[in-house]
Amino acid sequence: MKTDIQIAQEAEMKHIREVAEGAGIAEDELEFYGKYKAKLSDELWERIKDREDGKLVLVTAINPTPAGEGKTTISVGLGQAFAKLGKKSVIALREPSLGPCFGIKGGAAGGGYSQVVPMEDLNLHFTGDFHAITSANNLLAAMLDNHIQQGNALGIDPRQIVWKRCVDMNDRVLRNIVVGLGRKTDGMVREDHFVITVASEIMAILCLADDLADLKKRLGRIIVAYNFNGDPVTADDLQATGAMTALLKDAIKPNLIQTLEHTPALIHGGPFANIAHGCNSVRATKMALKLGDIAVTEAGFGADLGAEKFFDIKCRMAGLKPDAVVLVATVRALKYNGGVAKADLAEENLDALAKGIVNLEKHIENIQKYGVPVVVTLNSFVSDTDAENAFIEKFCHDHNCEFALSEVWEKGGEGGIALAEKVLETLETKESRFHPLYSEELSLKDKIRTIAQEIYGARDVVYEPAASKQIAKIEEMGFSDFPVCMAKNQYSLSDDAKKLGRPENFDIHIREVYVSAGAGFVVALTGAVMTMPGLPKVPAANLALSLAQGGSRVMLIDCDFRKPAQYKIFNVRDNEEKDLGDVLINHASTEKIIRNWNNSGLYMILNKTSSNAIETLLKSMTLKQIIAFCREKMDYVVIDTSPLALVADTEELAQMTDASVLVVRQDTVLTKDINDAIDILNNTRGKVLGCILNGVTSQNMAGSGHYGYGGHYGKRA
């Protein structure tokens, strides 16, 4: 089966002017970024702004799980399906962040035959919007510190600076830093912080602004610090607004690309829904409504985060009225919520499904509180059974919402026709009576309590003393009428990520509250959620993952029976599934030990077995058959073995490979050792690709007798 990136790379894209023409957009209303990307001009909006709006369909989901849900895939597939039914559809999605792209997951391009393309561009620099946001954010930070350095005419209290720098990367070491070290001319020494660009206020401002003029007003209202009297200091006070607006003048224009079936897709903005409002830009959504009969948009993470903020923040501010909601779930994810380990999700389990479906139930109830009709769709997997699908369908009908299966990953638009027909039926027969969950007149604490109790199902809200003081200050400054943006983990309805299903009898803990005056909402941080994520234990940068990221199908096999480590590296629990040792010793099924990493092109056969009979295991015909099978099915097979000092292990496995790569610790291995190792490898198989230096730092890059500046990387000394 082809990977997502293989499908994307094989796609025959149309020139973006042809896609635009199909949506009624003239060539001179486009600003081209190559052949397949373009920005939509202000002139286009002026021409279409008075048109009647099409229907607005929101795609959201249950709480995300390791089993996967597929919101973006469904959004793209649904848009393609509408086109097949003769409806003029336009898709409006968020841009992905580089942090997750190089960290845990691969962006927001969809999957299978329901993707937007060019996928590789979208997941990297795209049209540079995020870079512009980062620059505008950090320009304001630079002007703030410079103002203090140049005499501090505004009387800014360095202890009360609230503006943070940002970068579009998961970089945990930047969460808490010290700036201004060095000479007196290098600025005032103070504690500082970074957030990821997608969690920044400027990202929220860009997404919520109506136009460039509104963007400039919002930028000017940003509170960067407080003076010694406790009064707020804004970007306008620092005279930074004009320069920031100039940096964002192109970024505010929506981006146009296409799906695999050439349906137009507006990709613009990308705030995280667990720490920001999680929706694409107002401008892109409004353009989609003017250009198509139906606009399909999505909100990030589960409906308790993305959908709630879409309704209570975005729709409230922009005057949008959604006509229907598509709620995405999978049989696998519901069973996971019911307590089934990821390894066993392929097996039919109606009891677990009955336990886990309460998560879906809560999300249905939540959406219905806003007065919007709901259509539940299952993103189908081959392991789903008819009995499981029937159970969920009956459950949905019993809860007064429609149901449809979706096969858009496998079949593209054709696989979404059943869902599209059900959505069209809902649009024609069920009226949306949309209304926000709470009134603007409520106090901030009442708004927080309403969200916590009504949406999360919490018993009550518990505030840290500092949070209560912050709320009092925010209300004193006149921001009590702002909506609330709850920053909460995405995995659970509660603020504890481990509580799956539908938790009960829990409190929501508020540890910090601050106002995003430019964006126009108040942020309440719950639990342990952070505004700067970290990379996982294994970033998408090692050999196997890098090959997979490049579009190849890769099998990683852990053949180290002396000190197996890949289980720990990939954070797989010991009690999950069978492993390589179970196959070789206990003759378990090979199929049971193959895992897929995050729906990517990387597959793994892991091992947690330490054995005294290592020679027997390595010479096993079964192992040879497994490796041969993988070589036939995969583009690359990467085998992790014991250290080269254990020559017998290496010699045995080298007979089954085409080439070897030697991994060495730069600070502990001598040149002579490496030369000897290369000789061994050459004698066993004959092709050594080179050496990989591990543990390299700026401090250990030089050293006598080691492979540092005095050595020769990957070559004989």
Side-chain angles (χ1 to χ4, degrees), residues 612-641:
N612 295 321
I614 296 171
E615 185 178 357
T616 303
L617 295 177
L618 293 176
K619 291 183 177 181
S620 165
M621 283 302 299
T622 305
L623 178 60
K624 292 180 172 62
Q625 290 167 356
I626 291 171
I627 294 175
F629 171 81
C630 294
R631 288 173 65 109
E632 182 181 344
K633 300 294 183 182
M634 299 286 158
D635 299 312
Y636 294 96
V637 179
V638 178
I639 298 175
D640 182 22
T641 183

Coordinates of all heavy atoms in Angstrom, one line a residue, residues 612-641:
N612 N 19.8 -15.9 26.2 CA 21.2 -16.5 26.3 C 21.5 -17.3 25.0 O 22.6 -17.7 24.8 CB 21.3 -17.4 27.5 CG 21.2 -16.7 28.8 OD1 21.7 -15.6 28.9 ND2 20.5 -17.2 29.8
A613 N 20.4 -17.5 24.2 CA 20.6 -18.3 23.0 C 20.6 -17.4 21.8 O 19.9 -17.6 20.8 CB 19.4 -19.3 22.9
I614 N 21.4 -16.4 21.9 CA 21.4 -15.4 20.8 C 21.9 -15.9 19.5 O 21.3 -15.6 18.5 CB 22.4 -14.2 21.3 CG1 21.8 -13.5 22.5 CG2 22.5 -13.2 20.1 CD1 22.7 -12.5 23.2
E615 N 22.9 -16.8 19.5 CA 23.4 -17.3 18.2 C 22.3 -18.1 17.5 O 22.1 -18.0 16.3 CB 24.6 -18.2 18.5 CG 25.3 -18.7 17.2 CD 26.5 -19.6 17.5 OE1 26.9 -19.7 18.7 OE2 27.1 -20.1 16.5
T616 N 21.5 -18.9 18.3 CA 20.4 -19.7 17.7 C 19.4 -18.8 17.1 O 18.9 -19.0 16.0 CB 19.8 -20.6 18.8 OG1 20.8 -21.4 19.4 CG2 18.7 -21.4 18.2
L617 N 19.0 -17.7 17.8 CA 18.0 -16.7 17.3 C 18.5 -16.1 16.0 O 17.7 -15.9 15.1 CB 17.7 -15.7 18.4 CG 17.1 -16.2 19.7 CD1 16.9 -15.1 20.7 CD2 15.7 -16.9 19.4
L618 N 19.7 -15.6 16.0 CA 20.2 -14.9 14.8 C 20.4 -15.8 13.6 O 20.3 -15.4 12.5 CB 21.6 -14.3 15.1 CG 21.5 -13.1 16.2 CD1 22.9 -12.6 16.5 CD2 20.7 -12.0 15.7
K619 N 20.6 -17.1 13.8 CA 20.7 -18.1 12.7 C 19.4 -18.7 12.4 O 19.3 -19.5 11.4 CB 21.7 -19.2 13.1 CG 23.1 -18.7 13.2 CD 24.1 -19.8 13.5 CE 25.6 -19.4 13.5 NZ 26.5 -20.4 13.7
S620 N 18.3 -18.3 13.1 CA 17.0 -18.9 12.8 C 16.5 -18.7 11.4 O 16.6 -17.6 10.9 CB 16.0 -18.3 13.8 OG 14.7 -18.6 13.4
M621 N 16.0 -19.7 10.8 CA 15.4 -19.6 9.5 C 14.2 -18.6 9.5 O 13.9 -17.9 8.6 CB 14.9 -21.0 8.9 CG 16.0 -21.8 8.4 SD 17.0 -21.0 7.1 CE 15.7 -20.8 5.9
T622 N 13.5 -18.6 10.7 CA 12.3 -17.7 10.8 C 12.8 -16.2 10.7 O 12.1 -15.4 10.0 CB 11.6 -17.9 12.2 OG1 11.3 -19.3 12.3 CG2 10.4 -17.0 12.3
L623 N 13.9 -15.9 11.3 CA 14.4 -14.5 11.2 C 14.8 -14.2 9.8 O 14.5 -13.1 9.3 CB 15.6 -14.3 12.1 CG 16.3 -13.0 12.1 CD1 15.3 -11.9 12.5 CD2 17.6 -12.9 13.0
K624 N 15.4 -15.2 9.1 CA 15.8 -14.9 7.7 C 14.5 -14.7 6.9 O 14.5 -13.9 6.0 CB 16.6 -16.1 7.2 CG 18.0 -16.3 7.8 CD 18.7 -17.5 7.2 CE 20.2 -17.5 7.7 NZ 20.3 -17.7 9.1
Q625 N 13.5 -15.5 7.2 CA 12.2 -15.3 6.4 C 11.6 -14.0 6.7 O 11.0 -13.4 5.8 CB 11.3 -16.5 6.8 CG 11.7 -17.9 6.3 CD 10.9 -19.0 6.9 OE1 10.1 -18.8 7.8 NE2 11.2 -20.2 6.4
I626 N 11.6 -13.5 7.9 CA 11.1 -12.2 8.3 C 11.8 -11.1 7.5 O 11.1 -10.2 6.9 CB 11.1 -12.0 9.8 CG1 10.2 -12.9 10.5 CG2 10.8 -10.5 10.1 CD1 10.3 -12.9 12.1
I627 N 13.1 -11.2 7.5 CA 13.9 -10.1 6.8 C 13.6 -10.2 5.3 O 13.5 -9.2 4.7 CB 15.4 -10.3 7.2 CG1 15.6 -10.0 8.6 CG2 16.2 -9.4 6.3 CD1 17.0 -10.2 9.1
A628 N 13.6 -11.4 4.8 CA 13.3 -11.5 3.3 C 11.9 -11.0 3.0 O 11.7 -10.3 2.0 CB 13.4 -13.0 2.9
F629 N 10.9 -11.3 3.8 CA 9.6 -10.8 3.7 C 9.6 -9.2 3.6 O 9.0 -8.6 2.8 CB 8.6 -11.3 4.8 CG 7.3 -10.6 4.8 CD1 6.3 -11.1 3.9 CD2 7.0 -9.6 5.7 CE1 5.0 -10.5 3.9 CE2 5.7 -9.0 5.7 CZ 4.8 -9.5 4.8
C630 N 10.3 -8.6 4.6 CA 10.4 -7.2 4.7 C 11.1 -6.6 3.5 O 10.7 -5.5 3.0 CB 11.1 -6.8 6.0 SG 10.1 -7.2 7.5
R631 N 12.1 -7.2 3.0 CA 12.8 -6.7 1.9 C 11.9 -6.7 0.6 O 12.0 -5.8 -0.2 CB 14.1 -7.6 1.6 CG 15.2 -7.4 2.6 CD 16.3 -8.4 2.4 NE 17.0 -8.2 1.1 CZ 18.2 -7.7 0.9 NH1 18.9 -7.4 1.9 NH2 18.7 -7.6 -0.3
E632 N 11.1 -7.7 0.5 CA 10.1 -7.7 -0.6 C 9.1 -6.6 -0.6 O 8.7 -6.1 -1.6 CB 9.5 -9.1 -0.7 CG 8.5 -9.3 -1.8 CD 7.9 -10.7 -1.8 OE1 8.4 -11.6 -1.1 OE2 6.9 -10.8 -2.6
K633 N 8.6 -6.3 0.7 CA 7.5 -5.4 0.8 C 7.9 -4.0 1.0 O 7.1 -3.1 0.7 CB 6.6 -5.8 2.0 CG 6.0 -7.2 1.9 CD 5.0 -7.3 0.8 CE 4.3 -8.7 0.8 NZ 3.4 -8.8 -0.4
M634 N 9.1 -3.7 1.4 CA 9.5 -2.4 1.8 C 10.6 -1.8 0.9 O 11.2 -2.6 0.1 CB 10.1 -2.4 3.2 CG 9.1 -2.8 4.3 SD 7.9 -1.6 4.7 CE 6.5 -2.5 5.4
D635 N 10.7 -0.5 0.9 CA 11.8 0.1 0.1 C 13.1 0.0 0.8 O 14.2 -0.2 0.2 CB 11.5 1.6 -0.1 CG 10.2 1.8 -0.9 OD1 10.1 1.2 -1.9 OD2 9.4 2.6 -0.5
Y636 N 13.1 0.1 2.2 CA 14.3 -0.1 3.0 C 14.0 -0.9 4.2 O 12.9 -0.9 4.8 CB 14.8 1.3 3.5 CG 15.3 2.2 2.4 CD1 14.5 3.2 1.8 CD2 16.6 2.1 1.9 CE1 14.9 4.0 0.8 CE2 17.1 3.0 0.9 CZ 16.2 3.9 0.4 OH 16.7 4.7 -0.6
V637 N 15.0 -1.7 4.6 CA 14.9 -2.4 5.9 C 16.1 -2.0 6.7 O 17.3 -2.2 6.3 CB 14.9 -4.0 5.7 CG1 14.9 -4.7 7.1 CG2 13.7 -4.4 4.8
V638 N 15.9 -1.4 7.9 CA 16.9 -1.0 8.8 C 17.0 -1.9 10.0 O 16.0 -2.1 10.7 CB 16.7 0.5 9.3 CG1 17.8 0.9 10.2 CG2 16.6 1.4 8.1
I639 N 18.2 -2.6 10.2 CA 18.3 -3.5 11.3 C 19.2 -2.9 12.3 O 20.4 -2.5 12.1 CB 18.9 -4.9 10.7 CG1 18.0 -5.5 9.7 CG2 19.2 -5.8 11.9 CD1 18.5 -6.7 9.1
D640 N 18.7 -2.9 13.5 CA 19.5 -2.5 14.7 C 20.1 -3.7 15.3 O 19.4 -4.7 15.7 CB 18.6 -1.7 15.7 CG 19.4 -1.2 16.9 OD1 20.6 -1.1 16.8 OD2 18.8 -1.0 18.0
T641 N 21.4 -3.7 15.5 CA 22.1 -4.9 16.1 C 22.9 -4.5 17.3 O 23.0 -3.4 17.7 CB 23.0 -5.6 15.0 OG1 23.5 -6.8 15.6 CG2 24.1 -4.7 14.5

